[in-house]
Amino acid sequence: MPELPEVETVMRGLAARLQGRRIVRADVRRADLRWTLPPGLAARLVGARVEGFRRRAKYILMRLSGGDSVLIHLGMSGRMVLGPTLPNAVVLHEHVVIETDEGWQVGFVDPRRFGSIDLVPTAAEDGHRLLAGLGPEPLDPAFTPAVLAAALAGKTTALKAALLDQRLVAGLGNIYVCEALFRARLSPRRLAGTVAGARAGRLVCAIKATLTDAIAAGGSSLRDYVQPNGELGFFQHAWKVYGREGVTCERCPGLPACAGVARIVQSARSTFYCPRTQR
Ligand SMILES: [Zn+2]
């Protein structure tokens, strides 16, 4: 499942090729993905100019001349594939395709169809039902230690579960929460309400740094954020704790008492952490 940095790199890849271009063709090959597609979607895309892009949590907003934004969510298995338009090329599970005046096309490919595409007035993006309840954007300067501490105050859930709550902070998923907690040296099992002051400061810094590093890794490993096969975004990561059960973490080299990265299950999802250094 794509997380925030992957969505950001997909968006940057779209922007590099689509921004300023006019849409000359749109094929909408299904009536629905996860939800029903907007009626007349193809007709509303054709002729519009792509004015710009914005990411909100794990959603991409492609802003069009004429006042609409296309709201794109990759869901579990959605991918965007970019390439020069080839006559008669058939891509499996490619449900929506747009072509620009430059002769490039972008396809939305989603075998499981948990992704979604919708239209929303650009002036009212944040009022869309999928965006309206989201908490602050983690990379926004407005996401401060004080904001996080206030959101966590009094919460008796585990810290990890609290950070996955999209109303508290938007766009964090299982992997980056594990990685950010490792960086902040905070246990995923700690009571959320105990994170304030210096701990909240460490955690906010860790969340921002973890996401920023991952986005930078995507930018440096992909040319224009595009893989050689045309797929946008996604890249190899070197996780510090995620998926590394039993491996000695980078803070514990040569410590015989350290049993390595632990895996526990919280809210039916795997959590990876270093019990020695995360408290
Ligand atoms: Zn360790």
Side-chain angles (χ1 to χ4, degrees):
M1 183 150 182
E3 291 214 30
L4 187 156
E6 286 80 13
V7 175
E8 177 75 23
T9 60
V10 169
M11 185 198 73
R12 292 183 185 190
L14 289 172
R17 186 51 74 176
L18 298 188
Q19 191 147 340
R21 308 313 318 183
R22 195 166 292 281
I23 299 172
V24 296
R25 180 176 63 92
D27 288 343
V28 178
R29 297 167 180 162
R30 295 185 57 87
D32 64 331
L33 293 169
R34 180 167 184 181
W35 294 291
T36 305
L37 290 166
L41 174 61
R44 287 167 75 178
L45 295 174
V46 172
R49 213 177 80 101
V50 180
E51 302 285 3
F53 287 85
R54 174 193 174 204
R55 181 190 53 71
R56 176 74 170 114
K58 296 182 209 173
Y59 297 90
I60 294 170
L61 291 143
M62 178 170 77
R63 294 165 162 179
L64 304 177
S65 60
D68 280 330
S69 292
V70 184
L71 178 68
I72 303 165
H73 189 233
L74 299 173
M76 308 280 285
S77 58
R79 303 178 345 254
M80 308 289 289
V81 180
L82 175 76
T85 301
L86 299 173
N88 306 319
V90 176
V91 179
L92 213 56
H93 306 298
E94 191 172 60
H95 306 305
V96 177
V97 179
I98 61 171
E99 181 182 342
T100 69
D101 53 2
E102 210 185 15
W104 284 67
Q105 66 173 41
V106 177
F108 185 87
V109 178
D110 188 358
R112 297 173 67 188
R113 300 201 308 272
F114 285 113
S116 60
I117 296 177
D118 202 359
L119 289 170
V120 56
T122 301
E125 285 173 350
D126 289 327
H128 189 279
R129 67 182 174 90
L130 294 173
L131 308 186
L134 293 172
E137 194 65 30
L139 291 175
D140 193 293
F143 180 61
T144 61
V147 165
L148 177 65
L152 293 174
K155 283 209 180 306
T156 54
T157 51
L159 178 56
K160 187 202 175 198
L163 293 175
L164 288 174
D165 180 348
Q166 302 296 299
R167 295 165 298 182
L168 196 137
V169 52
L172 291 184
N174 200 41
I175 295 173
Y176 287 98
V177 167
C178 290
E179 294 288 308
L181 287 171
F182 174 74
R183 199 185 280 240
R185 298 179 183 243
L186 290 171
S187 170
R189 308 170 69 167
R190 168 182 281 279
L191 282 186
T194 64
V195 174
R199 287 193 188 108
R202 250 159 53 210
L203 183 51
V204 166
C205 283
I207 289 169
K208 290 176 189 282
T210 302
L211 296 173
T212 302
D213 284 359
I215 292 167
S220 63
S221 62
L222 300 173
R223 188 163 180 271
D224 283 340
Y225 306 97
V226 183
Q227 294 185 11
N229 66 1
E231 191 173 324
L232 289 166
F234 300 96
F235 41 89
Q236 285 298 313
H237 290 279
W239 307 120
K240 294 185 187 300
V241 287
Y242 186 81
R244 296 174 64 83
E245 184 179 10
V247 176
T248 304
C249 88
E250 65 182 26
R251 290 201 287 254
C252 303
L255 282 176
C258 177
V261 172
R263 184 181 78 89
I264 57 171
V265 176
Q266 293 176 294
S267 317
R269 305 177 78 183
S270 288
T271 300
F272 298 89
Y273 74 113
C274 170
R276 194 184 76 82
T277 63
Q278 289 179 249
R279 298 298 176 89

